[in-house]
Amino acid sequence: AGGGPLLPDSVLYEIFLYLDHVDVLSVGLVCQQWHAVARDEFLWKELFYRYYRISREVPRHPAAVSWYDEFQRLYDTIPCVEVQALKEHNDQVLHLSFSHSGCLFASCSKDCTVKIWSNELDISLQHSSNMRPYNWSYTQFSQFNSDDSLLLVSGVFVGPHNSSSGEIAVISMENFTLLSRVRNKPYDVFGCWLNETNLISGNLHRIGRITSCSVLWLNNAFQGIESENVNVVKRLFKIQNLNASTIRTVMVADCSRYDSPDLLLDYEEQLAASSTSTCPVFDLGSDSEEEEAKPKQTPEPAVQELPDEGGVTAEDGLQQFFDDIMEGRVRPAMTETELETKVAELFVRSRTKPPELNLLSTDSNSKTKYLIFTTGCLTYSPHQIGIKRILPHQMTTAGPVLGEERRSDEFFDSLDHVIDIHGHIIGMGLSPDHRYLYVNSRAWPRDCVISDPMQPPPIAEEIDLHVFDLKTMKEVKRALRAHRAYTPNEECFFIFLDVSRDFVASGAEDRHGYIWDRHYNICLAKLQHDNVVNSVAFSPVEQELLLTASDDTTIKVWRSPRVVRIQQARKPRPRKLLFSWLMNQKS
């Protein structure tokens, strides 16, 4: 195209209206003066808002230099081009995880293997560990430690259909040897690293038919080779569970990383949306009236300071309750389930250590970390997110195995924060800077009432992807939507998501993976599989590389159009056969 002066705004607008109906990649054919208008901000701003259907109240990404560059980022850097399909697993692939360096990744599968892959231009299998000799049924989750020297692998034991036992194995990345194994119950606690050498597991103790106690343990990864004089385990927390709920899906957020937020999320529209959020947050350690405000129909969290009734102690209250039962003063008649829950609530009032105060005032330069997990208070399906601060002295197995000495009124630990989702939580993921928590959930009906904890409400097919700011403990975005799930409550399973600097991705039961932009809240790509997509994983060093794992037994590798063009340009072109034959004849 030849050069020329910039076109007037009216002509640019006519070009824009035309471009709105043609393939953007053929945009250079519109007029001979294209290269003169190609960087015109008016054109690209109009095209950007119209093409991606974004509200004009949403500002441009704070790191963007121009509207042209921003359009190019969303159009050309999304990992949506399939470049490789890995078929070494022979059953459903459940989870994917990258090493922090991005050089390796691990995959877990119903075939009961964990496979370690080398992330090169053409990805190749480096090692495969079969866990069946250890009585595992399948592998379900993996995570590299901070220096990529160890791999945590979580699995499920062979057992009856209702068995909830699992195990965590630690594998050395130096020679792929198994270093230690730790019992994990229930198995969907998954487990996670707290630091380079210590990992967190769970155990579950039944107290009644629907009441239990979850114990979270800190374990040294080198249990088999440590000295007999050094503890290799230590109890972290002991938390009471009501109404058949349990603690599951543990993860650790590092507060010291908040100093370098990777995105500005809380612009005006999002703040307005958060003020009408359907996901209330309870700060159990705060005395401020602002944070104690709650919608009327929101259920109370499982562990919470109950108000004193005229100075009556918990022990007196429990005795009074029993007296009322014996004398027939409890009306209407309580079911066995309601009775067990009421007794457990009264008992825990005088047996629980109070929550940590000033959770939100954590110094960003401190070594404080948050333990984050799913829990509940109304039914067995996970519908709340619990947050517990881990203090520096708790980050080592040194000291008493059962932790610091406790008084009789500190038998249980309380939660420092509870986020109520009002739906079945099926996935969680942290942003790279650990400031934002992304949560996949399937909503309950708006005004549902749970009368039986063993019969949770029906759940929506549409998956909501919520975003919470862990610095303020507030929801900061409207829920992202596009992906769907179909299994009912009792069969519902985890769908893993992942977050990069600019994007968030998730699997779904509709045979697709999905990618959204974190700033604009828009769905950018659907990634096709032949069955349920269970897990997604961005490369931590290259967000234009994404992996997806599916029930169709494959792992697909996706790269951005930009990277694909670069790689194709670097490949040497094959010489034509005739030319090669002639050259050989001359020699």
Side-chain angles (χ1 to χ4, degrees), residues 28-253:
L29 302 177
V30 175
C31 70
Q32 292 184 341
Q33 296 174 309
W34 171 250
H35 87 276
V37 301
R39 296 300 181 99
D40 186 274
E41 282 291 276
F42 174 83
L43 172 65
W44 286 107
K45 181 178 180 180
E46 291 296 313
L47 183 58
F48 185 89
Y49 282 119
R50 286 285 294 272
Y51 185 81
Y52 290 108
R53 296 180 173 87
I54 300 172
S55 168
R56 293 178 182 273
E57 296 176 5
V58 180
R60 192 173 69 191
H61 190 296
V65 176
S66 67
W67 286 106
Y68 169 81
D69 291 336
E70 192 65 346
F71 188 96
Q72 187 179 47
R73 178 181 73 85
L74 294 189
Y75 199 86
D76 212 27
T77 66
I78 310 301
C80 58
V81 180
E82 181 183 341
V83 296
Q84 195 173 356
L86 309 174
K87 301 181 179 181
E88 278 76 357
H89 283 290
N90 54 38
D91 207 335
Q92 301 170 6
V93 188
L94 302 180
H95 185 255
L96 299 164
S97 64
F98 267 100
S99 64
H100 295 82
S101 68
C103 297
L104 302 172
F105 68 87
S107 58
C108 295
S109 169
K110 281 285 185 74
D111 66 13
C112 206
T113 66
V114 54
K115 299 186 187 296
I116 293 106
W117 308 79
S118 178
N119 180 26
E120 299 171 346
L121 187 58
D122 287 321
I123 291 171
S124 58
L125 181 63
Q126 188 168 347
H127 177 78
S128 180
S129 292
N130 181 15
M131 302 304 292
R132 290 201 191 279
Y134 305 102
N135 206 36
W136 285 27
S137 177
Y138 57 90
T139 59
Q140 60 173 351
F141 174 83
S142 65
Q143 185 183 48
F144 288 84
N145 70 341
S146 57
D147 64 2
D148 295 335
S149 61
L150 303 173
L151 179 67
L152 176 155
V153 182
S154 175
V156 180
F157 270 145
V158 174
H161 178 69
N162 60 353
S163 173
S164 63
S165 293
E167 194 171 66
I168 295 171
V170 178
I171 297 175
S172 168
M173 288 293 96
E174 183 179 1
N175 50 17
F176 303 114
T177 56
L178 183 63
L179 297 178
S180 59
R181 291 158 55 204
V182 175
R183 189 62 61 93
N184 194 38
K185 184 176 181 178
Y187 60 79
D188 49 5
V189 168
F190 294 120
C192 65
W193 291 104
L194 177 61
N195 49 43
E196 288 184 7
T197 58
N198 293 298
L199 60 100
I200 296 173
S201 65
N203 202 355
L204 184 66
H205 303 280
R206 293 291 175 187
I207 299 175
R209 191 175 71 89
I210 59 169
T211 308
S212 64
C213 172
S214 287
V215 181
L216 297 171
W217 291 89
L218 186 64
N219 308 267
N220 193 297
F222 300 96
Q223 295 190 13
I225 58 177
E226 286 287 351
S227 165
E228 294 181 359
N229 299 320
V230 178
N231 286 340
V232 293
V233 296
K234 185 171 75 173
R235 186 175 66 193
L236 272 180
F237 305 116
K238 184 164 55 174
I239 298 170
Q240 187 196 46
N241 304 310
L242 301 177
N243 289 320
S245 64
T246 61
I247 286 178
R248 314 176 189 190
T249 320
V250 297
M251 61 177 57
V252 172

Side-chain angles (χ1 to χ4, degrees), residues 320-330 334 339 343:
Q320 182 65 51
F321 180 64
F322 285 139
D323 292 342
D324 290 343
I325 292 175
M326 298 302 294
E327 297 177 16
R329 292 197 294 266
V330 177
M334 301 181 74
L339 178 60
V343 170

Side-chain angles (χ1 to χ4, degrees), residues 137 351 498 564:
S137 177
R351 296 289 186 272
D498 197 22
V564 170

